Amino acid sequence: GQNIDQPTEMTATEGAIVQINCTYQTSGFNGLFWYQQHAGEAPTFLSYNVLDGLEEKGRFSSFLSRSKGYSYLLLKELQMKDSASYLCASMDSNYQLIWGAGTKLIIKP
Amino acid sequence: GAVVSQHPSRVICKSGTSVKIECRSLDFQATTMFWYRQFPKQSLMLMATSNEGSKATYEQGVEKDKFLINHASLTLSTLTVTSAHPEDSSFYICSARGASDTEAFFGQGTRLTVV
């Protein structure tokens, strides 16, 4: 079956670090995406992992463990503009994306 | 990244009328286009996938006669919501992918309000 789970909402403080977890069950797994979506806007691409390990891009890092069906998005030095929904999506062997429901991240001063 | 342009960004229409939404890939050839619908506080729901020159593949529960998708060229796909009703009010988003790409690039989205 195909399934994606991520927390519904998280709260963090400006300047801190937050980790958003995502677990997946995907037939023919072909990679894991993270997108950021501000309210009323389309998603914007953050990262793509297909191999195990951590990939860092500035303040954002993404980790994948294929054996565990697990990924996380790590956001450092949080800024108020990071308040958004973060969508986890896995890709199957047909290059179709299976979307999580999104994690709403609230940043407090 | 590649650019996908979606138009219009907002549209208000009367119940019973039809609305066309365009999705264009500006700097690459989009062999595959995806159309999503997103209701408030919910994730993206895939409506259909279309490959250039082929009929779209609709997800279960999506009425193909109501949501007409045309992907006649490698740079343009259209979604027409026919006989729109208030329950069709939603945020519609397209994404496009080239033949050699893994990542799909999103359009800006269209906020449809049916009154």
Side-chain angles (χ1 to χ4, degrees), chain B residues 1-2 9 15 17 31-32 55 63 71 76 78 83-84 92 103 112:
Chain B
S9 58
S15 186
T17 62
T31 52
T32 307
K55 288 185 178 180
E63 300 174 58
H71 190 175
L76 174 65
T78 61
S83 186
Y92 292 87
E103 180 186 350
L112 170 65

Side-chain angles (χ1 to χ4, degrees), chain A residues 26-74:
Chain A
T26 304
S27 300
F29 178 74
N30 201 12
L32 194 292
F33 290 84
W34 283 96
Y35 284 85
Q36 181 191 60
Q37 186 178 26
H38 285 99
E41 299 180 12
T44 55
F45 171 80
L46 291 178
S47 66
Y48 170 67
N49 294 63
V50 67
L51 300 176
D52 285 351
L54 183 70
E55 294 206 6
E56 299 184 65
K57 282 185 185 179
R59 294 189 300 114
F60 292 6
S61 302
S62 56
F63 171 84
L64 177 68
S65 168
R66 293 178 69 125
S67 62
K68 295 181 179 178
Y70 168 68
S71 173
Y72 68 72
L73 179 69
L74 190 71

